[in-house]
Amino acid sequence: MIRTILIHPDPRLKKLCEPVAEITPELRQLAADMLETMYDAPGVGLAAPQVGVTKRLIVMDCIKDGTPEPMALFNPQILWSSEDQSVYEEGCLSIPDIYNDITRPTAVQVRWMDVDGKVQERQFAGLWATCVQHEIDHLNGKLFIDYLGPLKRQMITRKMEKLKREMARE
Ligand code: K2U
Ligand code: ZN
């Protein structure tokens, strides 16, 4: 089912998420709901804290046109990051309509547990690398606006507070 995406500022988006001990049917359902919610947004990634679950689970599908490649990563860890950096104009489903250039390592090696409880390891590059780093930041309570200066971050936070007040009035 499509879940509600939390909007910044929200304390649940700033929490350090707990590792997943074992893959339960509920967690498999959560991963499925997160993918459905991500496609509906639309987005190319989504982290569990964004739907109010402070557990270390992210979903991604960065394929734009072609066969979708949905992925669910439990307890993702970055083992290696490239020296090379890339700039990408990032957005966030929890900070609607705000986009900023963010610089991150161009490629990362990631280890995670998949829905079958199997440990996987893969190197990500391009949008996949940007996305997996953006999502793992969410699991550590970090938003892409935390890389911006304090004034810009404060302006964006005020804008989101206004948006939430207007949404509450609807
Ligand atoms: O975590 C999220 O809020 C989902 C983001 C993930 C993301 C942000 C920046 C760069 C790559 C992934 C959503 O996908 S935001 C919508 C979007 C869609 C396509 C490309 C970039 C951002
Ligand atoms: Zn985000």
Side-chain angles (χ1 to χ4, degrees):
M1 94 200 163
I2 291 177
R3 301 209 181 195
T4 306
I5 295 176
L6 302 180
I7 304 296
H8 168 76
D10 185 310
R12 290 164 289 182
L13 292 172
K14 302 303 286 170
K15 283 192 69 176
L16 181 66
C17 296
E18 313 120 51
V20 162
E22 58 161 330
I23 315 285
T24 62
E26 292 74 30
L27 282 171
R28 280 202 186 86
Q29 185 56 51
L30 172 62
D33 290 352
M34 285 171 60
L35 279 163
E36 191 181 348
T37 304
M38 179 192 78
Y39 287 123
D40 176 70
V44 295
L46 192 65
Q50 292 182 277
V51 293
V53 178
T54 52
K55 289 204 178 299
R56 302 188 78 81
L57 164 60
I58 65 175
V59 296
M60 296 194 290
D61 182 354
C62 300
I63 302 291
K64 281 224 169 73
D65 32 33
T67 323
E69 207 178 303
M71 293 183 81
L73 293 78
F74 293 89
N75 305 331
Q77 290 170 299
I78 294 178
L79 305 177
W80 166 86
S81 303
S82 62
E83 292 287 308
D84 287 351
Q85 309 262 307
S86 297
V87 182
Y88 193 92
E89 191 183 34
E90 296 194 15
C92 182
L93 296 174
S94 295
I95 311 175
D97 306 327
I98 301 289
Y99 296 93
N100 267 274
D101 281 352
I102 302 292
T103 304
R104 297 182 191 269
T106 305
V108 285
Q109 180 82 11
V110 180
R111 178 180 296 158
W112 72 94
M113 193 164 48
D114 65 16
V115 282
D116 304 318
K118 219 164 138 292
V119 174
Q120 303 283 355
E121 206 174 296
R122 185 191 290 193
Q123 183 166 328
F124 291 98
L127 179 57
W128 287 94
T130 300
C131 183
V132 75
Q133 293 175 84
H134 177 111
E135 301 311 336
I136 292 176
D137 272 354
H138 272 300
L139 302 184
N140 298 322
K142 200 171 174 82
L143 301 173
F144 83 92
I145 57 171
D146 295 332
Y147 294 102
L148 307 178
L151 285 182
K152 196 155 193 186
R153 182 166 56 250
Q154 193 180 68
M155 183 196 71
I156 293 168
T157 301
R158 290 234 173 87
K159 220 168 163 180
M160 291 297 115
E161 284 166 339
K162 184 167 174 285
L163 173 74
K164 287 170 80 163
R165 281 197 300 274
E166 282 155 9
M167 282 161 68
R169 261 207 296 275
E170 261 163 31

